Amino acid sequence: MHALCRAVSPAIADCELSFIGREPINVALAHLQHGEYVECLKKLGVSVIELPAEPGLPDSVFVEDTVLLFDELAVLTRPGAESRRAEVDAIAPAVQAVRTQVERISAPGTIDGGDVLRIGKRVFVGLSQRSNQAAIDQLASILKPFGYSVTAVPMQECLHLKSAVTALSDDTVLINPDWVDAAYFTEYRQIRVADSEAHAANVVRIGAAILMPSCFPETLALVQAAGFAVSTVDVSELQKAEGAVTCCSVLFIG
Ligand code: GLY
């Protein structure tokens, strides 16, 4: 397993915010926490390609939104927030170094990688403030020859689909049913986040291991009780930028 990660921009305080209020971000602490996140990926066996900070791109630490990396090809996105579109050209060379086929979503399509949840050959895409049907149609047509089926999923009250649901394994999801209709995921065993931890559904899956933020102890206990081995990391400063653990890496098989 490999990952693309990018260091925290010194301009992160100017990030986009959609569903949370702006609070001061301790940039030095954000750097430290991101470093610990990268170390955690490495300890879990991931080979990390560390890209330099982009001082002019406040949200660029959230690399997940810029590219969808499949085993067979890569798809560069067209982020829904205009301020984030230049992040795609910034990551393109690193993507081209790891995939020979690289496609790209074009206007009027917009899509953030945070809205794209892949489980095996199923690809769920949130119809969010950032991702639209035009992009979903383009993605479905790009992926069809490779046997992926793409499903658009309505959602509400959160930034990305992966704020509301992520996969713990090929047959289990962690979900906040207040933000996304659980009926879209009936083929999977569902673990619901703790009532008091609405933001806890976003976890990174690395093989059989799970990485989640340290600030959701009740959901952590639920995931552990279901038999998953979980590592935790403190990402409080990145959460203030409306980021989560999946946002900070693009995982792929080399
Ligand atoms: N700050 C993360 C985003 O809004 O894209």
Side-chain angles (χ1 to χ4, degrees), residues 1-3 47 49 69-72 97-99 251-254:
M1 182 81 78
H2 300 259
S47 164
I49 300 165
L69 260 170
F70 297 89
D71 293 348
E72 305 88 345
V98 299
R99 286 292 179 271
L251 288 160
F252 61 99
I253 305 293

Side-chain angles (χ1 to χ4, degrees), residues 52-206:
E54 288 282 355
L57 299 172
D59 279 300
S60 51
V61 65
F62 303 129
V63 283
E64 172 186 56
D65 293 317
T66 61
V67 61
L68 313 173
L69 260 170
F70 297 89
D71 293 348
E72 305 88 345
L73 79 165
V75 182
L76 294 168
T77 67
R78 183 167 182 268
E82 188 143 13
S83 72
R84 300 200 57 189
R85 301 239 168 104
E87 293 176 34
V88 177
D89 284 340
I91 204 160
V95 171
Q96 283 151 357
V98 299
R99 286 292 179 271
T100 48
Q101 183 172 351
V102 180
E103 305 291 342
R104 191 163 187 151
I105 300 296
S106 57
T110 64
I111 190 166
D112 284 9
D115 278 320
V116 181
L117 172 62
R118 178 163 57 91
I119 309 176
K121 288 286 187 178
R122 300 293 313 272
V123 179
F124 298 92
V125 187
L127 276 165
S128 70
Q129 287 186 2
R130 300 287 177 84
S131 301
N132 63 19
Q133 189 64 51
I136 294 172
D137 292 344
Q138 290 176 39
L139 184 63
S141 138
I142 290 167
L143 294 180
K144 194 171 175 198
F146 301 98
Y148 292 94
S149 72
V150 176
T151 303
V153 182
M155 42 171 285
Q156 65 279 322
E157 295 178 49
C158 62
L159 181 58
H160 288 134
L161 180 66
K162 281 189 277 194
S163 316
V165 57
T166 57
L168 291 163
S169 67
D170 278 347
D171 61 13
T172 306
V173 294
L174 181 63
I175 188 165
N176 176 344
D178 291 336
W179 288 351
V180 67
D181 185 351
Y184 280 85
F185 299 94
T186 48
E187 70 207 81
Y188 305 102
R189 176 168 68 132
Q190 298 185 7
I191 298 175
R192 297 184 171 207
V193 298
D195 289 343
S196 60
E197 296 176 347
H199 288 87
N202 184 276
V203 303
V204 176
R205 173 187 170 197
I206 299 156

